[in-house]
Amino acid sequence: MSIRIGDKNKIKNSYIGDHYSLNGGDKDFRKKKKFHAGHPVLFSLLTSILGGIILLFSFWENLIKWIENLFK
């Protein structure tokens, strides 16, 4: 003898585990995460590539010379 619960219903858009509080549900967890919070590795990779491209510009040479002249 086996126990059968339900009729193979699919559960969609439900509150499960920590996302559901006893006083009627927590609607804040459904808010979408920011891109950097949802994909931290991809965000840091894009940030480092952008920083590398900025550092390739030629005006940095002039800025470095100016800073070095301040300390002479």
Side-chain angles (χ1 to χ4, degrees), residues 5-72:
I5 298 174
D7 55 354
K8 298 183 182 179
N9 293 330
K10 303 290 182 189
I11 299 173
K12 296 179 181 177
N13 298 327
S14 66
Y15 296 101
I16 297 175
D18 294 333
H19 298 295
Y20 190 74
S21 64
L22 296 175
N23 61 0
D26 185 11
K27 294 178 179 71
D28 288 338
F29 87 95
R30 288 188 171 208
K31 290 183 181 177
K32 235 178 165 180
K33 289 183 178 179
K34 303 270 185 191
F35 180 76
H36 59 83
H39 309 284
V41 174
L42 185 60
F43 181 73
S44 63
L45 181 67
L46 291 174
T47 303
S48 63
I49 289 173
L50 181 64
I53 290 172
I54 290 173
L55 290 173
L56 285 175
F57 291 131
S58 63
F59 70 87
W60 291 108
E61 185 177 329
N62 297 334
L63 183 64
I64 291 170
K65 287 180 183 178
W66 181 77
I67 292 173
E68 287 176 348
N69 286 334
L70 286 177
F71 294 106
K72 286 186 178 182

